[in-house]
Amino acid sequence: LASKQDCRLHYVLTAINIANNAGNIIKDCYHQVKTVSTKDCATDLVTDTDKLVEKLIFSSLKTEFPSHKFIGEESVSNGESSELSLEPTWIVDPIDGTTNFVHRNPYVAVSIGLVINKKSEVGVVYAPILNDLYVAVKNEGAYLNGQRLKILNPPSCLSNALIAFEWGADRDSNVLALKSRNLLDIMQKHQVRGMRSTGSAALNMCMIACSSLDLYFEWGPHCWDMAASNLMVEEAGGFNTTTLGCDFDLMGRTIISAACKNIIEEIVPTLTQIPTRRDDE
Ligand code: 2AM
Ligand code: CA
Ligand code: CA
Ligand code: CA
């Protein structure tokens, strides 16, 4: 019988290989004219490459692991279930940062996470244009291009922090008002050093892991944005919570991801919560 460790090694090497193939397709299409359509609203884009890449990733994963379960952004958009069971489940975002991809902004990534008992065991995030491969394995660490990631000297308070936030696709005026209120409150109250938006939830979290950002918060990310990257943060020594500061919830559609706990505790009371619909409802 293969040991648990052998299994994990097989999972992670397979995921890296598939992410690499997916990344090569994204690289090939990046400078070409894209076939773009919209999903829920005019700001919610999808390209033929998103669909193609997800299809290829799932066909490879299903061949290798026929007994596992699968959740992917474009499959869910096509009506497939996003219900998460306790079974081993591969959760995939073929292109995280589709708007960036369409506009040739390099913050695009393939995200492949393996979740067992609703906890991430393996995470691979590959940003093919930036040539950054992030890999995390539960209890075995997080790595960027083979280098172990360890968050050192996290900020003592938000006024020493570089933080990130995403607007998402929703242009409803009430939602926009709540989001801008949060940004204004944080800027005024905490005097943060800067507020960034990369357009990729997964890469924001990977940047916490590699100490390029100190905190990222958002209402709206889906399980496929966070399935791989939450493990990257944790294995690098960072922390993930909901926007209420409670235990991280993969299906809960809110995130605070940070280098240290103290800045999470500092930001939570400042936040005005925004209603979101769970991924499993
Ligand atoms: P996507 O590119 O896979 O759709 C969280 O912010 C996630 O929402 C991002 O990782 C991104 O995932 C998506 N997103 C961000 N900005 C967006 C926008 N303007 N329109 C649509 N989706 C967006
Ligand atoms: Ca999308
Ligand atoms: Ca995404
Ligand atoms: Ca996507």
Side-chain angles (χ1 to χ4, degrees), residues 145-244:
N145 299 330
Q147 290 250 36
R148 181 102 188 223
L149 296 173
K150 187 80 211 137
I151 296 169
L152 296 172
N153 302 318
S156 57
C157 55
L158 278 174
S159 66
N160 292 332
L162 184 64
I163 77 176
F165 168 80
E166 295 294 332
W167 286 96
D170 198 338
R171 296 293 175 267
D172 173 84
S173 57
N174 293 320
V175 172
L176 290 177
L178 286 169
K179 288 182 177 174
S180 31
R181 174 175 169 182
N182 276 309
L183 300 187
L184 189 62
D185 287 348
I186 289 161
M187 285 301 193
Q188 277 175 339
K189 181 157 182 219
H190 300 291
Q191 302 284 314
V192 296
R193 287 188 176 161
M195 182 83 75
R196 304 287 181 260
S197 293
T198 64
S200 161
L203 287 178
N204 286 334
M205 292 171 76
C206 287
M207 281 197 281
I208 305 280
C210 70
S211 306
S212 301
L213 286 172
D214 301 308
L215 181 143
Y216 154 61
F217 71 103
E218 187 181 355
W219 289 267
H222 291 275
C223 60
W224 45 82
D225 298 315
M226 307 188 286
S229 53
N230 83 89
L231 191 58
M232 219 66 67
V233 172
E234 243 181 51
E235 287 297 323
F239 300 88
N240 300 303
T241 70
T242 67
T243 48
L244 290 165

Side-chain angles (χ1 to χ4, degrees), residues 47-164:
T47 72
D48 287 358
T49 310
D50 297 67
K51 297 172 194 169
L52 172 70
V53 168
E54 182 161 318
K55 224 177 250 168
L56 293 175
I57 291 173
F58 277 157
S59 101
S60 306
L61 284 174
K62 283 173 184 174
T63 305
E64 201 65 34
F65 309 111
S67 69
H68 289 182
K69 303 270 184 287
F70 304 88
I71 296 173
E73 180 181 6
E74 306 314 333
S75 307
V76 170
S77 292
N78 262 335
E80 282 190 30
S81 164
S82 57
E83 195 127 5
L84 180 63
S85 70
L86 299 172
E87 302 289 303
T89 305
W90 292 90
I91 304 186
V92 169
D93 191 340
I95 301 182
D96 188 40
T98 295
T99 307
N100 288 340
F101 176 68
V102 168
H103 289 265
R104 296 186 190 83
N105 178 299
Y107 287 89
V108 299
V110 182
S111 173
I112 301 177
L114 174 63
V115 176
I116 305 176
N117 291 321
K118 305 200 179 197
K119 299 272 181 233
S120 297
E121 289 279 327
V122 168
V124 173
V125 176
Y126 179 39
I129 313 302
L130 302 170
N131 270 317
D132 282 337
L133 174 68
Y134 295 87
V135 177
V137 179
K138 182 80 184 164
N139 298 325
E140 306 283 347
Y143 298 82
L144 167 56
N145 299 330
Q147 290 250 36
R148 181 102 188 223
L149 296 173
K150 187 80 211 137
I151 296 169
L152 296 172
N153 302 318
S156 57
C157 55
L158 278 174
S159 66
N160 292 332
L162 184 64
I163 77 176

Side-chain angles (χ1 to χ4, degrees), residues 14-66:
T14 306
I16 290 170
N17 184 42
I18 293 172
N20 192 55
N21 293 340
N24 285 336
I25 296 170
I26 293 169
K27 254 190 240 180
D28 287 343
C29 301
Y30 183 69
H31 287 290
Q32 293 174 10
V33 176
K34 285 99 177 173
T35 310
V36 183
S37 42
T38 60
K39 299 213 277 191
D40 283 347
C41 56
T43 45
D44 189 0
L45 308 181
V46 62
T47 72
D48 287 358
T49 310
D50 297 67
K51 297 172 194 169
L52 172 70
V53 168
E54 182 161 318
K55 224 177 250 168
L56 293 175
I57 291 173
F58 277 157
S59 101
S60 306
L61 284 174
K62 283 173 184 174
T63 305
E64 201 65 34
F65 309 111

